Amino acid sequence: MKIARVPAANEKFELTDIEIPEPGPGHVRVKVHACGVCHSDLLTVIGMMGNSFPRAPGHEIAGEVHAVGEGVRTWKVGDRVGVGWFGGCDFTCEPCRRGDFISCVNGKVPGIAYDGGYAEYMVAPAEAIARIPDDLSYVDAAPLLCAGITTFNSLRESVARPGDLVAVLGVGGLGHLGIQYAAKMGFEVAAIARGQDKEPLAKQLGAHHYIDSTAYDVADELNKLGGAQVILATVTVADAMAATIGGLKARGQLVVVGAPPEPMETPLAPLIFKSAAVQGHASGTSQDSEDTLRFSALTGVRPMTETVPLSEVQAAYDKMMSGAARFRMVLTMD
């Protein structure tokens, strides 16, 4: 089979042939049809989380069950499935024993703990597998298994309720999905981005309001709308996140799903006086992925994608890292 691997830290991808891997007990082999190229794949390339080399990245994997290992009863050959950031857990640590599997102390991530979806076939623990609805294409499903679940799950677990004002900071790879989910969940949606050029798209995706952060004070504009119950921060710019906090209403949340390299200087007075909070949010489990995919299929939420064949993996990765790909790059194997 073909697999695109990084031979060593910070090296270019190599496309090579290896034997199709066999699923061990409790594992599933997936025939990959599509795999999203996520900014977090950088962690694999640089070895930031301690992965070994060579390693194939990829945690936005969509395909079908090709074989199952001993003891697997939930999945059968031909099932349409995906694997996201949640790539398995130990079931024995304290978070797992409390049912918080995404916080597993020894949690696995595809493309880091084992070879991910930059390949024609990959193997994952059975608990990491999520079912893909029949009416959702593999190309559309792939980005929803990371960018989708991250925004969907953070919104549904936030303090916002239908009718509340929810602001989405950023109209990019995560933000364009966050706006859609927020609108479909029944929130009043304000999109925040730099410049006026993103306003038509934000409105098309379902935003009721648009705030140009280069022309207006974001917090003031949110307060004119009554204050945001939740601000979903999808960008990776700490100053842009901090600038929104004054626009939260009482007991509101700034939910952070984008990880900036620099620390965020947080104004504390608005947090104290409004009993507001800054909340980080991990993606979610395989069941959360299924919920995301089903909600997307039912409501018409779709990612904006550009497809590239596996043979052009380096070009796809470089375009994503350069920022030239505004939304989601997807590798295809067919």
Side-chain angles (χ1 to χ4, degrees):
M1 73 172 199
K2 296 291 185 184
I3 186 170
R5 303 187 299 191
V6 182
N10 295 302
E11 293 291 324
K12 298 291 186 180
F13 284 93
E14 59 178 17
L15 189 66
T16 188
D17 287 291
I18 64 171
E19 293 294 321
I20 296 175
E22 292 297 327
H27 285 65
V28 172
R29 182 168 70 215
V30 177
K31 178 178 172 59
V32 182
H33 290 283
C35 183
V37 181
C38 180
H39 194 275
S40 298
D41 292 337
L42 170 67
L43 303 178
T44 302
V45 173
I46 66 176
M48 183 174 176
M49 294 179 68
N51 58 273
S52 60
F53 293 97
R55 177 65 78 225
H59 57 268
E60 295 182 342
I61 305 156
E64 61 183 287
V65 174
H66 192 255
V68 298
E70 181 183 353
V72 175
R73 301 286 182 267
T74 306
W75 306 106
K76 66 180 186 301
V77 173
D79 286 344
R80 304 179 81 244
V81 298
V83 187
W85 178 264
F86 175 77
C89 58
D90 65 14
F91 295 108
T92 61
C93 68
E94 181 180 347
C96 282
R97 292 172 66 193
R98 296 185 183 278
D100 187 10
F101 302 115
I102 191 60
S103 301
C104 177
V105 174
N106 299 302
K108 298 176 181 178
V109 179
I112 296 176
Y114 49 85
D115 282 332
Y118 286 25
E120 293 178 322
Y121 297 89
M122 60 85 63
V123 171
E127 71 269 14
I129 306 297
R131 193 175 304 279
I132 298 176
D134 289 340
D135 49 354
L136 200 59
S137 74
Y138 291 120
V139 169
D140 283 340
L144 299 181
L145 288 157
C146 182
I149 182 180
T150 298
T151 49
F152 172 80
N153 214 27
S154 60
L155 286 170
R156 72 168 178 171
E157 294 188 359
S158 73
V159 298
R161 297 295 177 263
D164 287 343
L165 178 66
V166 167
V168 179
L169 176 60
V171 188
L174 289 171
H176 87 286
L177 290 168
I179 292 168
Q180 293 181 72
Y181 285 128
K184 298 296 185 180
M185 289 177 181
F187 301 131
E188 181 183 358
V189 183
I192 306 166
R194 294 177 58 82
Q196 290 291 330
D197 60 309
K198 300 180 182 70
E199 181 172 5
L201 175 62
K203 294 289 184 68
Q204 177 186 334
L205 294 170
H208 304 92
H209 314 280
Y210 181 81
I211 301 172
D212 175 3
S213 61
T214 65
Y216 299 95
D217 182 289
V218 173
D220 285 348
E221 294 304 304
L222 290 175
N223 286 323
K224 288 177 185 178
L225 296 172
Q229 192 66 58
V230 165
I231 299 170
L232 180 64
T234 70
V235 299
T236 55
V237 182
D239 289 346
M241 297 183 191
T244 68
I245 290 176
L248 289 170
K249 67 188 305 182
R251 304 195 181 278
Q253 286 178 317
L254 171 64
V255 180
V256 179
V257 297
E262 71 278 5
M264 182 175 73
E265 295 185 8
T266 306
L268 297 179
L271 296 179
I272 295 171
F273 298 147
K274 293 183 179 180
S275 299
V278 177
Q279 175 75 51
H281 196 281
S283 57
T285 66
S286 55
Q287 183 59 60
D288 295 320
S289 289
E290 283 196 16
D291 295 345
T292 302
L293 296 169
R294 186 166 185 271
F295 183 90
S296 302
L298 288 170
T299 61
V301 174
R302 297 292 187 274
M304 300 179 71
T305 61
E306 179 181 344
T307 59
V308 177
L310 181 64
S311 59
E312 298 177 22
V313 58
Q314 190 66 55
Y317 179 81
D318 290 345
K319 186 171 184 178
M320 179 274 298
M321 289 299 298
S322 71
R326 186 172 171 191
F327 299 108
R328 308 304 295 190
M329 301 293 294
V330 179
L331 299 173
T332 58
M333 315 302 158
D334 299 330

